[in-house]
């Protein structure tokens, strides 16, 4: 039993079962034992590798898409260039490198990073400051974003936000809870039926599970407000579907899938993203990551980079290109949602 598991078991004995959302929040952000607060989870030494870590092409193309969207909207100045959950800072570093030659873009940009982990904030400072002299600023949440034009990216951010789960049993929705069974953490259900605030209420098969990302919806409302009043675009890139159903809670530990209740605080917890609630009737565009990157020109960029590579480096480059775009890898599993302001043109990468 991990140190955090012992603390959670003691809490449950004292106050009763906890929600899946509370469990995820403790596992990921506990100040002493949280997965994100105590380590760098990215790359070979961590438990997962995100698209920016796979290839520089991802961040370059995302950056140029944001810059073109900025130009298409009249190049407002100043504007907020923000990232939610920047990881090691690789994506923002690539965005800034790729957009260095866009006239006026860097001069107008105010770079903001939304990051809770002190470990990752230090890593982001090191990674991003290495390549440019723009000032960086960290904020605690989307509610602290300035009231000005916003160009924002969130890559594999919403999948790590705590979710509530509900199960349809005997004609009613019951919230899924985590309690104790023979001293070990175990799933159970709330006694009384609960009516979840969710868009999936039509899914009523007995035993069905639905998930609700309340924090994600709150964050996107802050983003929507700024886009509506000041213009801009927000790109959300993550794995999931427009409307997901079922239990998608999963744990990753030492680059392998794990029981979500087995090693709290020592495994990454995520859930598939429902994109429909994040759009929430705002002007939006939606596609797969593979289609998005292909429309942005990743094939030509990959071919150009390949000219200077041979041997193992060339094979690694080709594998990265395939991993980002192929339908059997990240190309179809990962989706891209662009939220814009009324009347704005579609951002680059969308039909």
């Amino acid at each position: 039993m991990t140190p955090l598991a012992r603390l959670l078991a003691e809490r449950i004995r004292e106050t009763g079962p906890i929600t899946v959302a509370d469990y995820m929040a403790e596992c990921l952000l506990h100040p002493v034992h949280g997965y994100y607060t105590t380590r760098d989870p990215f790359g070979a030494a961590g438990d997962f590798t995100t698209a920016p870590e796979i290839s520089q092409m991802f961040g370059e193309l995302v950056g140029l898409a944001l810059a073109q969207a900025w130009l298409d909207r009249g190049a407002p100045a100043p504007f907020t260039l923000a990232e939610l959950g920047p990881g090691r800072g690789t994506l923002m570093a690539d965005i800034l490198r790729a957009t260095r030659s866009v006239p006026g873009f860097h001069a107008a940009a105010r770079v903001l990073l939304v990051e809770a982990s002190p470990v990752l904030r230090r890593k982001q400072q090191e990674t991003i400051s290495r390549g440019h002299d723009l000032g960086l600023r960290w904020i605690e949440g989307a509610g602290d974003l300035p009231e000005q034009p916003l160009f924002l990216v969130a890559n594999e951010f919403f999948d790590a936000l705590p979710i509530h789960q509900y199960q349809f049993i005997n004609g009613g929705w019951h919230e899924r809870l985590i309690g104790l069974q023979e001293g070990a953490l175990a799933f159970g259900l709330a006694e009384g039926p609960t009516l979840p605030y969710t868009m999936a209420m039509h899914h009523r098969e007995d035993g069905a599970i639905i998930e609700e990302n309340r924090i994600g919806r709150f964050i996107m409302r802050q983003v929507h407000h700024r886009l509506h009043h000041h213009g801009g675009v927000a790109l959300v890139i993550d794995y999931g579907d427009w409307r997901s159903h079922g239990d998608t809670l999963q744990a990753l530990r030492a680059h392998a899938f794990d029981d979500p209740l087995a090693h709290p605080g020592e495994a990454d917890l995520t859930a598939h993203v429902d994109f429909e609630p994040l759009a929430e009737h705002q002007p939006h565009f939606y596609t797969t990551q593979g289609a998005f990157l292909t429309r942005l020109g990743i094939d030509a960029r990959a071919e150009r980079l390949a000219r200077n590579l041979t041997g193992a480096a060339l094979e690694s480059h080709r594998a990265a290109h395939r991993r980002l775009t192929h339908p059997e890898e990240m190309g179809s599993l990962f989706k891209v949602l662009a939220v814009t302001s009324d009347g704005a043109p579609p951002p680059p990468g969308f039909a």
Side-chain angles (χ1 to χ4, degrees):
M1 183 174 279
T2 68
L4 182 57
R6 286 192 287 271
L7 291 177
L8 291 172
E10 182 179 343
R11 171 182 169 182
I12 291 168
R13 290 188 191 98
E14 292 179 356
T15 62
I18 60 176
T19 66
V20 173
D22 284 342
Y23 176 74
M24 286 186 70
E26 291 285 5
C27 288
L28 298 178
L29 296 174
H30 187 279
V32 177
H33 303 295
Y35 181 78
Y36 287 129
T37 53
T38 58
R39 73 198 70 205
D40 176 1
F42 299 95
D47 287 324
F48 59 90
T49 303
T50 61
E53 306 284 343
I54 293 170
S55 171
Q56 69 185 68
M57 296 184 292
F58 181 84
E60 291 171 347
L61 293 172
V62 168
L64 292 173
L66 288 173
Q68 185 61 56
W70 174 73
L71 291 170
D72 292 342
R73 287 154 179 75
F79 73 93
T80 300
L81 177 61
E83 184 177 359
L84 305 181
R88 287 178 167 180
T90 305
L91 175 56
M92 184 57 73
D94 288 342
I95 288 172
L96 293 172
R97 188 186 66 257
T99 57
R100 187 178 293 143
S101 61
V102 178
F105 188 78
H106 281 201
R110 306 293 181 266
V111 183
L112 293 181
L113 306 175
V114 179
E115 178 59 67
S117 166
V119 174
L120 291 177
R121 283 191 179 193
R122 290 192 293 271
K123 189 67 178 178
Q124 291 154 16
Q125 174 74 48
E126 176 186 340
T127 301
I128 300 171
S129 297
R130 189 185 306 142
H132 73 92
D133 57 1
L134 289 179
L136 297 178
R137 189 156 67 90
W138 285 264
I139 56 177
E140 292 297 321
D144 298 323
L145 289 166
E147 294 287 345
Q148 63 185 25
L150 174 64
F151 293 80
L152 176 144
V153 62
N155 180 64
E156 292 198 56
F157 170 77
F158 286 92
D159 65 282
L161 296 179
I163 57 163
H164 290 264
Q165 288 187 328
Y166 301 89
Q167 190 163 16
F168 194 74
I169 298 290
N170 298 325
W173 288 101
H174 298 254
E175 182 155 19
R176 209 170 182 215
L177 303 176
I178 295 170
L180 295 175
Q181 185 174 341
E182 297 181 357
L185 297 173
F187 287 105
L189 295 176
E191 290 186 5
T194 305
L195 184 66
Y197 180 66
T198 179
M199 298 176 68
M201 287 304 298
H202 61 278
H203 193 66
R204 292 171 176 266
E205 297 178 7
D206 202 52
I209 293 176
I210 57 174
E211 298 172 338
E212 181 185 28
N213 191 333
R214 297 178 188 173
I215 297 176
R217 294 181 70 170
F218 172 80
I219 289 171
M220 284 305 292
R221 286 183 187 134
Q222 305 299 315
V223 173
H224 294 160
H225 168 82
R226 284 148 183 84
L227 296 178
H228 176 74
H229 289 282
H230 308 288
V233 64
L235 296 177
V236 177
I237 307 166
D238 227 312
Y239 59 91
D241 287 294
W242 185 246
R243 183 184 295 159
S244 296
H245 297 300
D247 176 13
T248 71
L249 180 66
Q250 60 187 29
L252 198 63
R253 182 171 181 261
H255 292 274
F257 287 106
D258 194 27
D259 181 340
L261 302 184
H263 301 96
E266 296 179 0
D268 181 41
L269 296 180
T270 64
H272 286 206
V273 174
D274 281 344
F275 284 89
E276 183 182 30
L278 301 184
E280 203 164 22
H281 309 298
Q282 301 299 311
H284 64 269
F285 303 87
Y286 177 75
T287 190
T288 64
Q289 178 175 293
F292 175 70
L293 294 175
T294 299
R295 292 184 189 124
L296 291 178
I298 192 171
D299 294 341
R301 179 59 174 154
E303 183 179 345
R304 193 172 301 114
L305 290 173
R307 293 172 189 166
N308 299 320
L309 301 174
T310 59
L314 178 59
E315 290 306 310
S316 177
H317 170 66
R318 287 173 174 163
H321 179 207
R322 175 184 170 87
R323 186 172 176 188
L324 290 173
T325 60
H326 197 277
E328 294 181 1
E329 300 204 36
M330 297 174 73
S332 291
L333 175 61
F334 280 69
K335 311 300 193 302
V336 186
L337 170 70
V339 183
T340 69
S341 52
D342 290 326
F350 295 87

